[in-house]
């Protein structure tokens, strides 16, 4: 009788340790999601700021400046539920403004243009990486949260279900090739 109780107690302790380890892993994944989301937000803000600076620098033609400025402004001011759309529209505006290599060269030849183009190209290049890191963290947390043990024992607590950030982040080819 005593041996049976000891084995039951050992089994319960092992299950408790396993559930505690799983809850800790889930907590670390949620912390990683928060960190990658902050990094993604920083890169999106940097891209919009650089685009806005370039639009107001007077190195683009007026129509391109207006298109780029409005898209960057909308991306910076967008509410969270409309952020993906606004950021996608900024990507489209960047591709439209820098569709051809001549436009990039025209900006580079202007005073301070070389640095502006380099900074914009770096910002545009970093957004897909930050988004990929964020979406990978979301994918891992979702996979763990789908397990029965996480649902049955409510190991996720009251944390909201993680959402991926889906947007058009294709960089303008002429801009990235030249830098």
């Amino acid at each position: 009788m005593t041996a049976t109780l000891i084995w039951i107690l050992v089994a319960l302790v092992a299950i408790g340790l396993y559930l505690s380890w799983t809850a800790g892993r889930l907590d670390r994944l949620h912390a990683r999601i928060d960190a990658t989301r902050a990094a993604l937000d920083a890169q999106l803000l940097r891209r919009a700021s650089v685009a806005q600076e370039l639009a107001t620098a007077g190195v683009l033609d007026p129509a391109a400046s207006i298109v780029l400025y409005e898209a960057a402004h909308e991306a910076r001011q967008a509410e969270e539920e409309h952020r993906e759309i606004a950021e996608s529209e900024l990507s489209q505006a960047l591709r439209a403004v820098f569709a051809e290599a001549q436009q990039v060269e025209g900006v580079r030849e202007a005073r301070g243009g070389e640095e502006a183009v380099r900074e914009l190209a770096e910002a545009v290049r970093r957004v897909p990486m930050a988004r990929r890191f964020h979406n990978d963290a979301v994918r891992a947390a979702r996979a763990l949260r789908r397990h029965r043990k996480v649902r049955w024992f409510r190991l996720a607590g009251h944390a909201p279900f993680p959402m991926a950030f889906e947007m058009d982040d294709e960089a303008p080819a002429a801009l990235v090739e030249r830098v």
Side-chain angles (χ1 to χ4, degrees), residues 94 98 104 117-118 120-121 124-125 171-179:
L94 285 167
F98 296 107
V104 176
V117 167
R118 183 184 50 75
L120 182 61
V124 165
R125 211 175 303 146
L175 182 67
V176 176
E177 288 173 359
R178 294 302 216 182
V179 178

Side-chain angles (χ1 to χ4, degrees), residues 25 96 113:
R25 182 173 168 224

Side-chain angles (χ1 to χ4, degrees), residues 73-93:
H73 179 73
E74 287 299 317
R76 289 182 73 177
Q77 301 298 321
E79 297 290 325
E80 191 59 36
E81 59 269 4
H82 302 294
R83 181 108 188 257
E84 293 172 350
I85 295 168
E87 294 293 346
S88 293
E89 288 174 355
L90 177 56
S91 295
Q92 293 167 0

Side-chain angles (χ1 to χ4, degrees), residues 1-73:
M1 177 78 169
T2 320
T4 307
L5 287 175
I6 290 174
W7 282 112
I8 291 173
L9 183 63
V10 168
L12 288 175
V13 167
I15 291 170
L17 287 173
Y18 178 70
L19 291 175
S20 174
W21 176 80
T22 303
R25 182 173 168 224
L26 190 58
D27 186 51
R28 287 189 301 277
L29 283 172
H30 282 128
R32 185 173 146 211
I33 288 171
D34 291 342
T36 57
R37 181 57 191 240
L40 175 61
D41 286 341
Q43 292 304 322
L44 292 171
L45 181 63
R46 181 172 181 243
R47 180 181 76 152
S49 298
V50 171
Q52 217 169 12
E53 273 182 37
L54 190 60
T56 58
V59 295
L60 297 171
D61 63 273
S65 291
I66 290 171
V67 167
L68 193 57
Y69 181 83
E70 286 181 356
H73 179 73

